[in-house]
Amino acid sequence: MNILQINSSARAEASHSTALAERIVSRLSAAEPRTASVVVRDLSRRPHPQLDEAALQALFTPTESRTPEQAARVALDDALIAELQAADALVIGAPMYNFGISAQLKNWIDAISRAKVTFRYTEDGPEGLLKGKTVYVALTRGGKYRNTPADTMVPYLEMVLSFLGMTHVHFVYAEGLAMGAAAEESAIASAYEQIEDAVSAQVSVEEPLAA
Ligand SMILES: Cc1cc2nc3c(=O)[nH]c(=O)nc-3n(C[C@H](O)[C@H](O)[C@H](O)COP(=O)(O)O)c2cc1C
């Protein structure tokens, strides 16, 4: 099983979402110790560039006509797409910033969403081309927004991941992290329980296939 971990906090150290993503990866790896391989894409230590005009021009220029700078810019996105295509499981650490996902995560989504490569339009409408993957998203928030209109992250991530073909998504919530030490401790304990549930649900789904 190839596992791709995306860290999207701005914090390289002391990030709860990264710690929870690591916990998910470690539990997935423990379930398949002989076959698990892990790639970590740390967008805090190595931020991906945003989709600016130069990047758009590079992407819309035919490969053979690109300048070396344009080719290098497209290659940055190509690398992220290749990592994702190779993954069986995708694990995302996703902090809430100002009621949405981080700019780091949005830049990653902009990089991996490419027409004719990760999705395409057919006569019947759009088709996601990243199929057969299981996704785990560790959500961290200072406040509590689960199942409220203020939670823009879950509907957005469900929609964009499904558009790209990734319809099997487990969300792990760590909420109330800014509401005092006791609330923080309880949020992390709850997130650990949610991780156990998500990983064991996945393993029990896959067992009959492996037999
Ligand atoms: C710039 C910034 C904006 C934030 N905005 C929100 C917010 O809108 N709602 C919320 O509940 N928490 C917000 N928080 C708190 C973070 O979601 C919380 O600290 C979380 O643990 C960050 O993830 P991390 O630990 O992986 O870095 C914000 C934190 C920062 C630094």
Side-chain angles (χ1 to χ4, degrees), residues 3-189:
I3 306 169
L4 173 61
Q5 177 183 335
I6 306 294
N7 300 339
S8 75
S9 172
R11 302 198 281 183
E13 306 289 338
S15 155
H16 287 300
S17 57
T18 296
L20 291 174
E22 282 168 359
R23 172 83 181 183
I24 295 168
V25 167
S26 122
R27 300 301 293 128
L28 288 172
S29 303
E32 290 196 32
R34 281 178 296 116
T35 59
S37 78
V38 182
V39 170
V40 179
R41 173 65 60 169
D42 191 324
L43 300 170
S44 171
R45 289 193 166 83
R46 288 178 63 198
H48 196 78
Q50 67 182 4
L51 189 59
D52 59 9
E53 186 167 10
L56 276 180
Q57 280 176 351
L59 285 161
F60 287 111
T61 300
T63 310
E64 62 282 3
S65 308
R66 285 178 189 143
T67 65
E69 292 74 23
Q70 288 178 323
R73 178 62 185 83
V74 174
L76 292 177
D77 289 5
D78 288 345
L80 300 196
I81 290 171
E83 281 173 359
L84 183 53
Q85 287 172 326
D88 304 299
L90 169 64
V91 179
I92 303 174
M96 178 181 272
Y97 287 159
N98 303 313
F99 294 97
I101 62 169
S102 66
Q104 287 81 350
L105 184 55
K106 182 60 166 57
N107 289 342
W108 181 82
I109 290 169
D110 286 342
I112 53 118
S113 304
R114 190 181 298 170
K116 301 190 176 116
V117 179
T118 56
F119 69 92
R120 67 179 171 193
Y121 276 92
T122 70
E123 287 173 358
D124 299 325
E127 180 188 5
L129 300 177
L130 296 169
K131 292 177 182 156
K133 302 180 194 306
T134 306
V135 184
Y136 302 82
V137 185
L139 301 157
T140 52
R141 292 95 183 265
K144 295 188 177 182
Y145 307 104
R146 185 173 185 169
N147 296 329
T148 75
D151 186 353
T152 64
M153 298 174 75
V154 168
Y156 168 70
L157 288 170
E158 266 178 343
M159 192 267 298
V160 71
L161 292 167
S162 130
F163 179 82
L164 297 172
M166 294 176 279
T167 51
H168 194 175
V169 185
H170 298 276
F171 288 100
V172 170
Y173 296 77
E175 297 203 290
L177 294 169
M179 295 170 68
E184 180 179 338
E185 196 178 315
S186 141
I188 299 301

